[in-house]
Amino acid sequence: MAGGNAIRGTRVGAGPMGESERGESAPRQRVSYWCANGHESKPSFALEAEKPESWDCPRCGLPAGLDEQAPPKAPRNEPYKTHLAYVKERRSDADGEAILAEALAKLRAKREG
Ligand SMILES: [Zn+2]
């Protein structure tokens, strides 16, 4: 049962490395992004890092762009909604048909009986 001690040893040893990584001496730039709802978000990037063309708005989740006058349009999730509605419709249709068929069968049974 020496395994527990070995794991503890590696954890303590890994500490200093994490601390040296945390130093924020690298120069950073703040970039403004605007979403379709007019929200401005200012994430910061390392100066040498290439800034992304779009950024997810932290307030509404829409994609935000660098151009305040022309923010990226909100992605339409209509296809998904339509598909979901379509599936629901189909299901209720099938249910309705089943109920109708049952009712018709009962009617016929009554007439015949
Ligand atoms: Zn937004």
Side-chain angles (χ1 to χ4, degrees):
M1 288 295 183
N5 280 337
I7 287 166
R8 242 176 228 191
T10 49
R11 262 194 202 168
V12 170
M17 273 183 75
E19 271 171 40
S20 67
E21 261 183 316
R22 221 186 292 164
E24 288 195 33
S25 50
R28 297 179 81 80
Q29 57 177 334
R30 288 217 148 221
V31 185
S32 290
Y33 288 90
W34 285 271
C35 77
N37 287 331
H39 301 142
E40 182 186 9
S41 40
K42 287 183 182 173
S44 64
F45 303 100
L47 266 181
E48 67 264 29
E50 210 170 298
K51 57 190 181 193
E53 268 180 44
S54 67
W55 187 258
D56 283 345
C57 173
R59 281 203 243 176
C60 65
L62 289 181
L66 293 162
D67 191 347
E68 184 181 6
Q69 304 304 318
K73 281 178 185 165
R76 298 192 172 192
N77 41 18
E78 272 172 26
Y80 175 71
K81 273 184 187 169
T82 305
H83 177 70
L84 198 69
Y86 175 76
V87 170
K88 274 185 184 169
E89 229 168 71
R90 289 283 296 180
R91 197 176 291 165
S92 63
D93 265 10
D95 284 352
E97 271 172 32
I99 290 162
L100 195 71
E102 208 184 310
L104 279 172
K106 275 183 188 172
L107 258 175
R108 277 180 197 149
K110 263 189 190 176
R111 274 185 201 166
E112 281 167 17

